[in-house]
């Protein structure tokens, strides 16, 4: 993958049971721009921030729990969704993780022991996160 640039250190989550998964959306002037501007993964008490952006992957360790935020004067807001809780993924071990780039998109996937997958995809400068059954 010569065009994919990874910044920061990707955590090794395989064999770990995540304590939380939070997706941070980006809303501009009341309109949803993307539903996963950043994804926060908590494992072994540590928060990891993942951002996919135009052929790049950014990992950062975060020392505190992520909180929704906004810049009202610019019309920006960043609401959060507890994806791990909403889909019952908290406590289920991760069995595989992968990163794929095909020139048009970047995709990060976590596969859980129950066969479900968390798929975070950046396509055309917009990132989404979804939980799907393993096919």
């Amino acid at each position: 993958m010569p065009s994919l640039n990874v910044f920061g250190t990707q955590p090794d989550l395989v064999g770990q049971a995540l304590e939380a998964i939070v997706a941070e959306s980006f809303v501009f002037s009341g309109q949803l721009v993307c539903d996963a501007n950043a994804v926060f993964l908590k494992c072994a008490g540590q928060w990891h921030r993942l951002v996919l952006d135009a052929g790049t992957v950014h990992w950062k360790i975060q020392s505190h729990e992520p909180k929704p935020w906004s810049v009202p004067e610019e019309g920006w807001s960043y609401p959060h969704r507890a994806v791990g809780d909403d889909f019952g993924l908290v406590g289920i071990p991760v069995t595989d993780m992968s990163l794929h780039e095909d020139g048009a998109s970047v995709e990060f996937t976590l596969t859980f022991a129950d066969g479900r997958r968390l798929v975070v995809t950046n396509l055309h400068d917009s990132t989404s996160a979804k939980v799907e059954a393993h096919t």
Side-chain angles (χ1 to χ4, degrees):
M1 288 185 254
S3 64
L4 184 61
N5 293 308
V6 178
F7 300 93
T9 302
Q10 178 175 296
D12 183 7
L13 302 175
V14 174
Q16 305 287 328
L18 297 183
E19 298 165 30
I21 303 168
V22 175
E24 177 182 271
S25 300
F26 172 51
V27 175
F28 178 66
S29 295
Q31 298 294 317
L32 180 66
V33 175
C34 68
D35 69 2
N37 191 58
V39 175
F40 300 90
L41 307 166
K42 185 178 183 186
C43 183
Q46 181 65 65
W47 284 100
H48 302 273
R49 181 178 187 258
L50 168 65
V51 175
L52 303 181
D53 184 32
T56 62
V57 178
H58 303 262
W59 284 102
K60 184 176 180 182
I61 292 175
Q62 183 159 315
S63 62
H64 58 280
E65 180 178 349
K67 299 287 185 193
W69 59 288
S70 65
V71 183
E73 61 276 10
E74 298 292 338
W76 305 337
S77 65
Y78 298 86
H80 287 189
R81 179 175 183 196
V83 174
D85 291 336
D86 291 354
F87 289 93
L89 294 173
V90 172
I92 299 174
V94 173
T95 58
D96 189 44
M97 56 190 290
S98 64
L99 186 59
H100 176 74
E101 186 262 339
D102 68 7
S105 67
V106 176
E107 184 174 274
F108 173 77
T109 303
L110 285 179
T111 303
F112 292 87
D114 67 359
R116 289 182 294 163
R117 301 184 311 164
L118 170 68
V119 181
V120 182
T121 306
N122 178 272
L123 177 64
H124 305 302
D125 205 26
S126 181
T127 305
S128 62
K130 64 182 176 180
V131 175
E132 56 187 34
H134 186 68
T135 56

